[in-house]
Amino acid sequence: MSRWAWQRLSYWVELVFFYEMRSTMKWLCLMLLVGVGCGATSARSDKSLTECEGDACSPAKDASNPCLDGDLRACNTLGWAYQQGDGVAQSDEEAARYYALSCPSPEKYDDYGCGNLGYMYESGRGVERDYEKAAHYYGLSCDRKMKASCFSLGIAYELGRGIDADHKKARELYEFSCTAGYGPACTNLGVLLIRGQGGPSDPKRAVTLLQKECDEDNNPWACGSLGYAYNSGLGVQIDRCRAKELNTKSCDNKQNPVGCANLGDMLLRGDCGDPDLERGKELLSKTCDENNRGCSSLGILYRDGKTVGRDLARAQELFEKGCAANEAAACLRLGDFHYSKGDKEAALHSYRRGCDAGRPAACQKLAENLGKGHPDYEATAHKACGFGAKWCPED
């Protein structure tokens, strides 16, 4: 499960508080609204939400259904009921239909309903998956300062999913949601602060954010990222045993790929204990296969012939897989691999990707190979230095 998928669970916990279905009277109203126990059924078109137009998108007119009288919040509440199967037969299609009715236009919409519709399009529930539409509806909801939707829009900007990638915009959105008290956004903000994406790196603040999320919310992504910080000395003194403890906690929590990959790497090196090559390889193989995490360290095993037969082609394949998933270490190793083969252009491309993903050594090698006369040299060199690398350009 990805960082963004796991954190999406918090999205629903955040929203459920706001839905008007918790008091007995409101629940009875909802029962009447959808016809439960009243001998009625919810009329609907057989067309999909993305195909229907006008009245075909609406259930049959019913005086007991305030959604059809223009109560957009009631439409959202109905969508939530159908999505959860709460008092009605669970139906993602009906949920998406009612969420769409709650978000009919950019001029008039329910802020929660648009955020929920964005989620349906992002996850492909009840509608065909469409990241562009997901970003659009998250944007409408975020325009009204809905912190969960701003968080989801930040993910879209971070990944370039349905919208042009923009780490600066992602960072601004995470900052807003985190300040508003939305914990998962604090974790994502911490990761960008460590990597120096979207603005200057700030490892100390990142550690503060990640520590809070790991301790208070037991967020496995926060714990794993904090483990990386302790293992790398980013914002804190290097403490291998503390790093191992945090990565183990993260890995044990739903097999979080960041924690498991970090732990696998530590087991290979024997950090804070004896090496355990087989267990390390097992963890890395699983996270690389399922989540594209740890591919770099697994590739090193094949490159160096540790616990497996030496296989440079397999090593390159793993480095490429990890780099394609923005695993910074994999991009660095792939750059080294290309450089050793004399392919400087491919090496620079990989180093640049690793640098953009927050790997100081990749920035350093990119700067050194670009040379002082290159227009990108100064920015790249100072980025490496700003990340906390031991190397900094000479003045």
Side-chain angles (χ1 to χ4, degrees):
M1 183 179 291
S2 70
R3 167 164 50 111
W4 304 280
W6 184 90
Q7 289 167 346
R8 188 71 70 240
L9 296 175
S10 298
Y11 183 89
W12 300 111
V13 173
E14 182 74 17
L15 289 182
V16 71
F17 174 79
F18 296 96
Y19 293 116
E20 301 174 299
M21 302 195 317
R22 293 300 167 235
S23 71
T24 302
M25 184 59 69
K26 288 175 181 175
W27 176 241
L28 289 174
C29 290
L30 176 63
M31 300 285 275
L32 291 173
L33 190 148
V34 297
V36 177
C38 302
T41 59
S42 176
R44 51 165 296 193
S45 165
D46 289 331
K47 293 184 179 181
S48 72
L49 179 65
T50 54
E51 294 174 343
C52 63
E53 296 179 358
D55 292 341
C57 290
S58 302
K61 187 70 175 177
D62 186 332
S64 67
N65 191 335
C67 171
L68 302 183
D69 291 328
D71 187 338
L72 301 182
R73 180 56 55 86
C75 297
N76 175 65
T77 300
L78 262 175
W80 176 262
Y82 275 111
Q83 185 182 344
Q84 302 301 309
D86 199 348
V88 293
Q90 198 281 332
S91 171
D92 286 341
E93 290 76 15
E94 285 293 274
R97 188 180 301 277
Y98 278 107
Y99 288 148
L101 289 172
S102 77
C103 189
S105 74
E107 293 74 32
K108 183 180 180 181
Y109 59 89
D110 178 73
D111 37 16
Y112 295 107
C114 287
N116 286 337
L117 184 58
Y119 170 78
M120 302 303 273
Y121 275 112
E122 181 187 5
S123 58
R125 293 183 59 176
V127 292
E128 185 176 349
R129 177 172 285 164
D130 188 325
Y131 290 128
E132 186 173 344
K133 287 184 178 179
H136 168 71
Y137 288 116
Y138 283 142
L140 290 177
S141 184
C142 181
D143 284 345
R144 293 189 179 175
K145 308 301 182 184
M146 303 305 296
K147 54 189 177 183
S149 292
C150 290
F151 163 74
S152 296
L153 185 60
I155 290 175
Y157 274 111
E158 183 182 351
L159 300 180
R161 194 152 63 184
I163 199 167
D164 290 340
D166 187 335
H167 287 137
K168 181 179 180 181
K169 184 65 176 177
R171 187 156 158 171
E172 290 172 355
L173 289 164
Y174 291 151
E175 186 78 63
F176 166 77
S177 296
C178 178
T179 302
Y182 194 64
C186 298
T187 295
N188 284 18
L189 177 60
V191 172
L192 294 190
L193 289 170
I194 283 180
R195 294 175 177 172
Q197 292 177 310
S201 62
D202 190 346
K204 289 185 177 180
R205 186 180 174 218
V207 166
T208 299
L209 292 171
L210 295 171
Q211 187 75 64
K212 183 175 185 294
E213 286 303 300
C214 179
D215 290 346
E216 296 182 6
D217 292 340
N218 196 30
N219 184 325
W221 288 96
C223 296
S225 298
L226 186 61
Y228 174 79
Y230 272 99
N231 197 42
S232 306
L234 294 171
V236 289
Q237 291 293 320
I238 291 177
D239 186 336
R240 307 290 189 199
C241 291
R242 176 62 174 152
K244 190 172 185 179
E245 175 188 345
L246 287 163
N247 287 323
T248 299
K249 179 180 179 180
S250 174
C251 186
D252 288 346
N253 190 342
K254 302 179 182 179
Q255 292 294 295
N256 180 261
V258 166
C260 291
N262 290 346
L263 180 59
D265 206 29
M266 297 188 77
L267 290 172
L268 292 182
R269 294 193 302 265
D271 293 337
C272 192
D274 294 329
D276 188 341
L277 300 183
E278 287 302 322
R279 175 59 175 157
K281 179 192 170 189
E282 177 186 345
L283 287 172
L284 292 170
S285 296
K286 180 178 176 61
T287 56
C288 182
D289 288 345
E290 297 179 1
N291 305 99
N292 298 327
R293 295 278 183 169
C295 298
S296 174
S297 296
L298 189 62
I300 290 174
L301 292 183
Y302 282 95
R303 185 195 66 185
D304 298 342
K306 294 180 179 178
T307 75
V308 293
R310 193 164 188 260
D311 187 338
L312 294 181
R314 176 59 175 157
Q316 181 178 356
E317 178 185 332
L318 289 166
F319 294 149
E320 288 174 345
K321 181 178 181 180
C323 187
N326 289 322
E327 186 182 24
C331 295
L332 172 63
R333 302 305 177 198
L334 182 61
D336 290 342
F337 190 89
H338 286 309
Y339 196 84
S340 69
K341 297 294 184 181
D343 191 343
K344 185 175 180 179
E345 183 177 351
L348 289 177
H349 176 73
S350 297
Y351 288 147
R352 189 178 298 278
R353 291 198 63 175
C355 180
D356 289 342
R359 192 76 173 187
C363 297
Q364 176 183 339
K365 291 190 175 184
L366 177 61
E368 289 175 336
N369 281 281
L370 289 175
K372 290 186 177 181
H374 194 281
D376 292 339
Y377 171 80
E378 185 174 347
T380 302
H382 283 281
K383 190 174 182 180
C385 185
F387 277 147
K390 295 179 180 179
W391 174 89
C392 285
E394 296 179 0
D395 294 331

